[in-house]
Structures are given as C-alpha cells and as structure tokens.
Amino acid sequence: MSERYLIGIDIGTTGTKAILFKEDGTPVAHAYRGYTLSTPAVGRSEHDAEGYVTAVRETVREVCEGRGISDKVAAIAFSTQGGTLIPVDEKGVPVRPAIVWNDHRCTAEKQAYLQEVGDAATLYEKTGWKLGTGLPLLTVRHLKDNEPEVFAKTARFLSVPDFVALRLTGRAAIDLSNAGINQLTDIRKGAHDKTLLSFAGIEDGMLPEIVPSGDVIAPLSKEGASLLGLSEKTLLVSGAHDQYAVALGTGASRAGDILIGSGTCWVVTAIGDSPDFESGLAQSVAAAKGLWGSLSSLSSGGVCLEWLRKNIATADGEGFIDFKTLDAEAAKRQAAFDGLFFIPFSGKHEKGRFTKASFTGLDLSHDRFHMARAVMEGVVFQILWFMEAFKTQPDEKKGITLAGGASKSAVWTQMLADISGLPVRTPALPDLACVGAAILAGVGAGLYEDARDGYLRFATEEKVIYPDMQAHEKYKTAFSEYKRQANAIALK
C-alpha cells in the first residue's frame, strides 16, 4: 500500500497554518498565511469570512505542491478559533463580515439576556462558557435587533469550522468543543438548546450539525477537492477548538493531563473524565473521546514581557533587546527572593480582577533585568494560582507540559519547575494545534485506533526540566507573599 498523508490545519484569529504529515507523524511541509482583522468601531472586530477559505486553500496547496500526493492525502482536519460568527445565505455565501470572538459590541444584548432569561448561571451550566459581550448567542441577537436586513438574508448562522466545512464538503458541521463557545448548545446533551435559540431568535435548522471530534464529516466535494487540489476521496474529519487541539498535540489525551500554552495569552488546559462546573472555569468536551477540559487564561501573559522588552529593557542604542539576551541576563538576577514582585495586568484572583499591572518592592539596586525576571515570575505565580481552582491537579511524576513561546526560554521553564516543584515537559515540535488536528484526521481516516494511539505515532522528542527543590522551598514563601500583595492591591 502506498504511503498515506494527513494535513492538520490551524485556522487562527490572525493567520492560518497547515502542516503536511506522513502517516507515521513525520512532518513534511509547513505553510502559513496571515490576515488582518478590521476594527470598524471601538470594541468591534471583524474579518472577511472568505479570507478563511482562501488561507486554507493556499496553505494546503503550498504544502502539497510538487509532491504528487493529491490522491494520497487520506484526511484533513481543523484546529480553529472559537466563537466567531459567520452569517450566510441559502447558498452558503456570507451576508456580512464575520464578527470575531474578541468583538465586544453586545453590552445591550447581555443586559437583555439577564432581563429576559435572567439566569447566567444556567447558561454556564449548559454551554460551559460564561455570559460575555461577543460570542454568537449575543451577536446573533445583535444582528436581529440592529441589522434586520442582514438577519433576514441569513439562512444559517455559522462559525469558522462549519463555514469552511460547508465550503469543502457541502455539510456544515461543528465539533462540541467549538459548539459550546458559541453558547447555543447544551454540551452535556450534545444538542442545541431551545431556550438559547429562542433568545437569539433562530431555529435549530439555522445552525450547523454537531459532529464529535475525530468523526468523519464527509469526503471532499468535487468543488472542495478542486479548491484544495486534492482527491474527492480525501476525508474532512471533525476537529477541535485550538486549545484542545494543542492539548492533543502535546499528548494530553488522558484524565489528569495538564498543559500550559504560552504566547500573547497564557492558557491552562486540564483534561478530566468529567466536567468541573464547580470551579467556574470554562468547560468543554475535549478532543479525545470521553474526556472533558477546563480552561483558564491570563490574557496578558506574554504581552507583559513584550511590553517590558520594548519600553523598559530596551537594547543599548536603538531597537528592542533580543529574547536571548533578556533570558541570559534575567538568569543572573533575583527578583522575588529580593522582595521584587510583578502582578500581571488583568490577573484573575479570588478578590476580583486587576485592572492595572503593578511592580512592588523596587529598589535602587534593581535594573531592567531584575524587572524582566520579576515579570517572568509574576506570570508563573499567577498561572499556578489559577491552577489551584482546577479539580484536575498535576501528577507529581508527569508534571506539567509547557508549549509555546515560553517553552523556548530556559529561565522561564526552570522557573515554572522551581515554583511548582514539578517536572516541566516541553515538546520539540512547534505548531501543536496542527499536530492535534492531524491526529484527529488520522483517527477519522481509520489510520489510528484513537487519539492516544495517534499521539504515540506522532510523538516527538520532549525536553524535561526538573525542579531545584532548594529553590522550590524558597519560592513557597515568595508565592505566599505574592498572593498577599495581590489581594491587598485588589482591595484598593
């Protein structure tokens, strides 16, 4: 039998990546296309929905170009942003730009929900996500009340995975990890909720079908195959929300697995065998069958260090200081042990939410690199504080997996190990969302028994960083002081 291939596609907020893999998990080719969001007014975030299809087409064609494998790609699957609304007409053509998940136009609709339905706690219990100001439940209602002509033209209210699936196969299908974020679905029942549909002003048939992650949506249609340059035998398999795809790409496919994804936003994903609504954290059906996931995020996790690098710890002369230098110099300093703390912007905690970031304990002996180390420590303190709310706690032997930008920093990874007192595992392969999507594609195509089997085929080298237990003992005191100061600031 000739060798078969899989393509994992990550359709993100500002760009799309595609990776072509061999059946054994070996990466063959990578492609990326970026795009820019439009901000037509304060608090608004939109994108041309056709741009998602274009990016998928271009990246898939690029990774396959010149390889003669158009009929050897067994399946493709998506990792996607969640909560972006794409209203389409009867032919599947968008009737307005997509309203992206980070849009915040729906303050009036939030109040309308509280007045008409009245129970935000039940919404969370059904969908796994708390009432915000920009997810599809409210944006559909916003269109009904504020853009009636658009609402009248809309045959279906879709989101990114189902819109692209419709274009490639003729079937609009969404996985449950994404359906919950749209806040129109009861994730424990796996079905759209009548009360939520009634508030939005729509019917069940106006939403996509729900297809579990790893199940086949459909083979590519003639049009879809032509668009991507693949065979009509290639299967489109139901994927997952990007955080759950990343988790699967790191091997988080069993209850008890915990992943910290680091980038602009730091996100903790904990995998369990049941939902954890008591925690108040975002809940979703995970990508691996039979499992659930809890999410908590620090939106400014990576932004804080980037701000410091550009504005405080700048290079001598012109330009920004490089991360390698920042890492090396921060390794030579002490911060928390010297009483210098940084509390990140918008860090959640039991007393409320910070509205401003803070340095405390600055001394004339401190320089820009002491401040850099304090920022790194503050992000780790806050993330580990978040994790205390999770029902799922790290296994002492397996520890925590760290993916993303911070995993490339020797200082940050060692800091996470020392503060937590746990081993920290950093996968060698980047773009783990594409890895997770490709694993699901392989499951759907019957190449792997399940998600765990797929991960073991893909498994690449990982580095394990062990804690310095003497440093851990010192950090226990520093962590307690961090919490004390954070709570004191929150009360002001």
Side-chain angles (χ1 to χ4, degrees):
M1 182 180 293
S2 62
E3 190 166 37
R4 291 169 293 185
Y5 294 81
L6 301 165
I7 302 177
I9 304 163
D10 177 31
I11 310 174
T13 306
T14 58
T16 290
K17 300 172 185 174
I19 302 181
L20 174 70
F21 295 94
K22 291 182 180 180
E23 182 181 345
D24 64 3
T26 303
V28 177
H30 173 283
Y32 174 77
R33 291 293 184 278
Y35 31 79
T36 302
L37 301 180
S38 62
T39 52
V42 174
R44 302 201 171 193
S45 180
E46 299 184 350
H47 183 59
D48 175 11
E50 292 294 345
Y52 299 127
V53 177
T54 299
V56 169
R57 174 178 61 82
E58 292 180 353
T59 53
V60 169
R61 283 183 169 273
E62 183 175 330
V63 297
C64 294
E65 187 176 9
R67 302 182 189 279
I69 60 167
S70 61
D71 60 345
K72 297 178 182 178
V73 176
I76 64 175
F78 304 138
S79 154
T80 62
Q81 57 178 288
T84 292
L85 179 69
I86 305 174
V88 302
D89 64 18
E90 293 181 355
K91 295 182 179 180
V93 177
V95 296
R96 76 173 316 283
I99 300 176
V100 182
W101 62 270
N102 58 358
D103 187 284
H104 293 290
R105 73 184 64 194
C106 295
T107 52
E109 288 72 26
K110 181 176 181 178
Q111 291 306 311
Y113 182 89
L114 295 173
Q115 291 171 6
E116 295 176 25
V117 182
D119 190 356
T122 300
L123 171 74
Y124 169 63
E125 289 282 340
K126 288 179 178 180
T127 70
W129 291 78
K130 293 183 178 180
L131 186 64
T133 54
L135 296 178
L137 168 68
L138 298 184
T139 51
V140 170
R141 174 64 177 261
H142 179 88
L143 293 180
K144 181 174 184 291
D145 292 345
N146 296 277
E147 299 183 30
E149 292 183 3
V150 167
F151 189 86
K153 292 178 183 176
T154 302
R156 281 189 276 193
F157 291 91
L158 305 180
S159 56
V160 173
D162 34 302
F163 170 67
V164 182
L166 177 64
R167 189 61 58 87
L168 297 182
T169 68
R171 184 184 184 192
I174 189 172
D175 62 278
L176 266 174
S177 65
N178 271 298
I181 302 173
N182 292 343
Q183 297 196 312
L184 292 159
T185 300
D186 186 323
I187 57 176
R188 284 186 273 202
K189 294 179 180 179
H192 302 132
D193 182 81
K194 291 182 179 179
T195 299
L196 300 176
L197 294 180
S198 176
F199 172 78
I202 58 176
E203 299 176 352
D204 197 312
M206 300 175 77
L207 293 176
E209 299 176 65
I210 298 171
V211 177
S213 298
D215 283 10
V216 175
I217 293 174
L220 296 180
S221 64
K222 182 178 180 180
E223 294 78 10
S226 176
L227 190 75
L228 301 184
L230 299 175
S231 166
E232 291 179 52
K233 295 181 180 179
T234 299
L235 302 175
L236 175 62
V237 175
S238 186
H241 177 242
D242 50 18
Q243 295 300 328
Y244 291 101
V246 169
L248 187 57
T250 67
S253 57
R254 295 177 293 189
D257 290 336
I258 293 183
L259 163 71
I260 298 175
S262 62
T264 300
C265 176
W266 281 44
V267 182
V268 185
T269 305
I271 304 300
D273 53 15
S274 61
D276 180 19
F277 286 99
E278 291 182 4
S279 68
L281 303 169
Q283 304 294 307
S284 289
V285 174
K289 290 189 185 301
L291 295 176
W292 290 76
S294 299
L295 292 180
S296 186
S297 62
L298 178 62
S299 61
S300 62
V303 172
C304 292
L305 189 63
E306 184 70 4
W307 167 83
L308 187 98
R309 187 176 75 92
K310 291 180 177 180
N311 296 287
I312 305 297
T314 54
D316 296 325
E318 296 182 359
F320 304 143
I321 198 164
D322 62 271
F323 285 108
K324 184 177 180 180
T325 301
L326 200 67
D327 221 36
E329 293 298 327
K332 302 173 186 177
R333 269 77 168 172
Q334 289 189 160
F337 297 160
D338 285 342
L340 174 59
F341 290 91
F342 174 76
I343 299 164
F345 174 77
S346 293
K348 299 175 188 174
H349 59 97
E350 62 200 41
K351 301 295 182 182
R353 177 182 288 271
F354 299 121
T355 56
K356 301 290 183 181
S358 300
F359 280 101
T360 65
L362 277 169
D363 183 84
L364 291 175
S365 65
H366 294 145
D367 63 13
R368 54 188 173 166
F369 300 114
H370 287 92
M371 296 175 72
R373 185 175 183 93
V375 168
M376 291 175 161
E377 288 175 337
V379 170
V380 173
F381 284 142
Q382 195 65 49
I383 282 290
L384 292 177
W385 199 1
F386 285 174
M387 287 173 57
E388 292 177 4
F390 284 73
K391 180 171 67 176
T392 299
Q393 291 296 311
D395 179 88
E396 291 186 2
K397 291 184 178 180
K398 185 172 182 180
I400 302 167
T401 298
L402 176 66
S407 68
K408 301 178 179 67
S409 165
V411 174
W412 233 339
T413 51
Q414 188 64 55
M415 195 180 286
L416 177 59
D418 292 348
I419 296 175
S420 68
L422 297 166
V424 174
R425 301 175 182 275
T426 59
L429 191 65
D431 297 325
L432 292 164
C434 292
V435 175
I439 289 171
L440 291 172
V443 171
L447 303 184
Y448 314 132
E449 183 178 342
D450 54 23
R452 184 67 186 169
D453 176 47
Y455 169 72
L456 293 175
R457 306 280 191 98
F458 273 69
T460 60
E461 294 182 6
E462 63 177 11
K463 188 175 181 180
V464 183
I465 297 89
Y466 292 96
D468 177 333
M469 296 311 293
Q470 287 186 332
H472 176 60
E473 289 302 315
K474 293 177 68 177
Y475 268 125
K476 284 182 179 179
T477 301
F479 197 1
S480 295
E481 177 61 15
Y482 173 87
K483 293 177 181 178
R484 187 193 70 79
Q485 293 193 20
N487 279 327
I489 290 171
L491 292 173
K492 290 182 179 179

